[in-house]
Amino acid sequence: MCGIFGIHAPERDVARLAYFGLFALQHRGQESAGIAVSDQGRLTALRDMGLVTQVFSEDKLNGLQGDVAIGHTRYSTTGAAHWSNAQPLVQHGRARTVALGHNGNLINTAELRAELTAGGIRPLSSSDTEVIAAMLANDERPLEEAIAATMRRLDGAYSVVVLTEGRLVAFRDPHGFRPLALGRLGDDWVVASETCALDLVGATSEREVASGELAVIGPDGLHTAHALAPAERPALCIFEYVYLARPDSELGGVEVYGARVRMGEQLAREAPVDADLVMPVPDSGTPAAIGFARAAGIPFGEGLIKNRYVGRTFIQPEQGMREQGIKLKFNPLTEIAGKRVVVVDDSIVRGSTMHQIVAMLFDGGAREVHVRVSSPPIISPCFYGIDFGDDEQLVAGGRSVDEVRALIGATSLAHLSLDGMQAAVGHHESDVCRACFTRRYPTAAPADRRLSKLRFELATS
Ligand code: 5GP
Ligand code: MG
């Protein structure tokens, strides 16, 4: 995950616009947030742990004056939620100073780090993002050549925004794993992980930064260069449609909300059930539940109320309250009592959410709890920037659907098929990455699958 944003707009309050852009991308990362601005080429950056609204105040934004800005919201995996990993990273090198924000995950970080170290440049952390920043900051060729050379060396997923030499730079890996949209704000340019951020700042969506494209935006406008790294097959992450992206964003020409509703409709056709009520696990399961209810002709109801103030970090309840942990987030409504309920969620990863929700629904008086999941079982880790556990942590890794059903205690369990998900999204299967569902990776998978554990230290996204 991670959200990135960039704006080149000399006549506007770029830090404030970046703040609002990041606010729209908060769902992509809730651990830290940061903005870097360039004022006539002079860089200032502010980054800290917490939500966008916690990191920035009116005063702090006023201190970030400039004509170009980039921003980042970070969603780390485990442990590495340190201030030092907050982005944008600022790197002072032999050739230039860069501020950089990254969404994705590299799979050849170790190799690149070794090369940098051999060249006398010692990375301070084990972060893949720092490697990209160090390569750009120390490459003495002109900026565009330095970026092209760096892109040719990076393996894995990267959608990147950079602020350097008074310019806004955006580039995307040749597979296009993670999204990156390009928008216009009058005569000015904006880039953002998702179109919902363009909408909020009043920019019109122009197109996407293409796979393998470099866009440089400076005083003389937008310059782009294509196919900077060897062409690869497109591999936009299909899980963006399932869960990651905001439903009001448009990705690859498809509105995410519509794709999710179609996933639910298709799921109802593939795995019908006699029931009295269809309800979502809010909020991520809601569009699919609406689609399911519509296609099945079963009434839609909320079933559970979600407390929207539960962030990723809150004071842990005392021991005696621990089992009620899930009550911090959800509370069932009496409308489920005595009913045969279909509960729809977008995905099962570790299985812990669903296990607790099923128990809660039975406690609330549900007669039957039929779990319907609008994506196939996740059976393999992601090396391209999603916080999926390794093989052992995935509940569907090495278990049949019925074994998982028994584990979560549901009356029945069914997943949307791979083909059904693909049809709902609308892209051809050769244009997306769906390795977490198939184990077929679009790049050579890392030699050591245990990288998925190491990844927790390496990933910065
Ligand atoms: P589980 O409890 O099975 O590990 O997680 C499944 C739930 O987490 C679903 O409700 C789904 O919406 C959500 N989810 C799916 N992918 C991710 C992810 O990468 N990070 C987080 N925090 N939640 C996720
Ligand atoms: Mg969810």
Side-chain angles (χ1 to χ4, degrees), residues 58-290:
E58 190 72 42
D59 279 353
K60 285 176 177 158
L61 284 179
N62 287 338
L64 291 168
Q65 294 299 320
D67 24 63
V68 202
I70 61 168
H72 188 267
T73 57
R74 176 164 191 258
Y75 200 157
S76 83
T77 49
T78 43
H82 298 147
W83 181 84
S84 62
N85 282 331
Q87 298 185 30
L89 279 183
V90 177
Q91 187 96 20
H92 306 280
R94 283 178 204 139
R96 57 183 69 83
T97 295
V98 301
L100 185 146
H102 171 211
N103 173 206
N105 190 64
L106 300 185
I107 57 180
N108 63 337
T109 306
E111 184 190 323
L112 296 173
R113 263 171 66 81
E115 277 182 30
L116 283 169
T117 309
I121 299 153
R122 179 165 293 281
L124 298 174
S125 71
S126 58
S127 120
D128 54 347
T129 302
E130 189 190 2
V131 168
I132 309 176
M135 288 172 79
L136 292 182
N138 289 288
D139 191 318
E140 273 149 336
R141 286 168 280 194
L143 181 62
E144 296 192 21
E145 283 176 44
I147 294 172
T150 300
M151 286 172 76
R152 281 193 293 273
R153 297 302 328 282
L154 305 178
D155 284 338
Y158 54 90
S159 283
V160 174
V161 285
V162 179
L163 202 53
T164 190
E165 299 172 0
R167 288 181 282 178
L168 168 63
V169 179
F171 56 94
R172 193 169 171 204
D173 69 71
H175 288 283
F177 284 107
R178 298 282 149 229
L180 193 57
L182 179 68
R184 287 218 80 148
L185 184 57
D187 292 335
D188 301 318
W189 293 98
V190 182
V191 289
S193 290
E194 293 182 33
T195 59
C196 65
L198 302 181
D199 296 339
L200 177 54
V201 302
T204 52
S205 179
E206 191 83 1
R207 61 180 178 86
E208 295 188 352
V209 175
S211 304
E213 180 181 358
L214 162 66
V216 179
I217 301 151
D220 47 351
L222 168 76
H223 293 273
T224 64
H226 287 269
L228 287 189
E232 302 282 359
R233 82 160 183 86
L236 175 63
C237 168
I238 201 162
F239 205 68
E240 293 277 352
Y241 292 99
V242 170
Y243 170 78
L244 298 182
R246 230 171 74 163
D248 52 332
S249 286
E250 193 181 292
L251 228 66
V254 176
E255 191 196 54
V256 172
Y257 181 80
R260 288 183 189 164
V261 171
R262 290 191 295 276
M263 288 177 199
E265 290 170 341
Q266 177 63 20
L267 181 57
R269 290 190 284 267
E270 290 182 9
V273 58
D274 263 338
D276 309 306
L277 177 77
V278 175
M279 54 167 284
V281 178
D283 296 310
S284 57
T286 301
I290 289 170

Side-chain angles (χ1 to χ4, degrees), residues 35-58:
I35 293 174
V37 294
S38 163
D39 191 11
Q40 319 262 323
R42 202 173 50 87
L43 275 177
T44 315
L46 175 67
R47 60 200 172 110
D48 210 342
M49 304 307 294
L51 301 174
V52 176
T53 52
Q54 294 168 322
V55 172
F56 294 99
S57 61
E58 190 72 42

Side-chain angles (χ1 to χ4, degrees), residues 1 75 239 243-244 281 284-285 312 345-354 386-388 395:
M1 293 258 261
Y75 200 157
F239 205 68
Y243 170 78
L244 298 182
V281 178
S284 57
R312 281 177 60 80
D345 203 358
D346 63 280
S347 57
I348 292 183
V349 184
R350 292 166 191 80
S352 44
T353 306
M354 201 43 103
I386 312 184
D387 172 19
F388 287 156
V395 72

Side-chain angles (χ1 to χ4, degrees), residues 304-357:
L304 286 171
I305 293 302
K306 179 180 180 181
N307 184 329
R308 265 138 190 128
Y309 302 97
V310 177
R312 281 177 60 80
T313 51
F314 46 80
I315 296 165
Q316 291 299 318
E318 60 174 45
Q319 199 53 40
M321 246 181 92
R322 275 278 158 82
E323 297 92 77
Q324 287 174 291
I326 182 127
K327 294 224 160 179
L328 285 167
K329 206 165 172 184
F330 299 109
N331 205 18
L333 293 168
T334 54
E335 72 166 340
I336 64 171
K339 294 211 170 108
R340 298 167 301 164
V341 170
V342 179
V343 57
V344 181
D345 203 358
D346 63 280
S347 57
I348 292 183
V349 184
R350 292 166 191 80
S352 44
T353 306
M354 201 43 103
H355 170 77
Q356 297 182 75
I357 282 184

